[in-house]
Amino acid sequence: MIAEIDEANATQLRQWWVKIPKTLYKSAGLKPEDEEAQRLIYDEIAGGLSNVDDGWVDFLTGFIDANDVNRRCSALFFLTNAGMDTDAVKAALDKAYKSKNLYLKGTALQGYIQINYFPLIESDFDTVNDEWLSAWGMKYMCKAYPRQKIEILEDALKSKNPLERSFACDIIGSELIEHLKPQLKPLLKDKNEHVAEAAAYIYHEILD
């Protein structure tokens, strides 16, 4: 947590949300031109608002169609994370997914999952060629089609996409899907160290 944000009141946080001061970047050791830094600070501000501002839901709802992608994604993430499943939020998620921006698309998928809203079908992912987005698509499918979840996870564990393999390990661990433990064993020696670590943790610590 950035100290200044942690200590700020609602009025200050709203002002920073509209325009992030360079001092926040400096105190956090971040660069204003860095997209990841902008996302981090917007998320920090949104989190702060949700803690100290009684009107934070209405305030952030005003930015779910913002031109600024990072601000828009942060607003959508925190609203859906809090279970805000209004028609306005759903419409904003649909609009975000239809965008060509991968960050907006990924945020939409996360939002769909968080509010259990599943307007997409399998064919909607046929043209996805981004590893991060494809992995979130797999996670979405598991939630949207629970009867097919085991089959989806089995395929994901064998996917060429390391993020899908890693996400599948996380789902198996978080949902304690014991009968898929044997299928984690080959991933203990996965060429991708993050996948191997995820598989080892679930295999030896969670499902042991």
Side-chain angles (χ1 to χ4, degrees), residues 70-141:
N70 293 330
R71 191 184 298 156
R72 181 177 170 186
C73 287
S74 185
L76 283 171
F77 175 81
F78 275 86
L79 287 168
T80 54
N81 190 52
M84 298 296 121
D85 58 354
T86 63
D87 290 342
V89 168
K90 289 178 179 178
L93 290 174
D94 292 339
K95 185 177 179 180
Y97 188 77
K98 292 175 183 176
S99 165
K100 293 181 180 180
N101 185 285
L102 294 179
Y103 188 43
L104 276 172
K105 283 181 174 290
T107 299
L109 288 175
Q110 293 177 61
Y112 287 149
I113 292 168
Q114 287 177 152
I115 62 173
N116 292 310
Y117 169 50
F118 305 114
L120 305 178
I121 59 176
E122 186 174 4
S123 61
D124 289 316
F125 301 102
D126 288 347
T127 58
V128 172
N129 56 10
D130 176 81
E131 287 189 348
W132 178 71
L133 199 59
S134 178
W136 273 104
M138 181 277 294
K139 196 167 186 177
Y140 171 96
M141 291 295 292

Side-chain angles (χ1 to χ4, degrees), residues 21-40:
K22 291 183 179 179
T23 53
L24 283 184
Y25 288 105
K26 186 176 181 180
S27 64
L30 302 172
K31 297 180 180 180
E33 64 273 16
D34 186 345
E35 283 286 315
E36 289 294 333
Q38 292 177 29
R39 293 170 188 172
L40 172 63

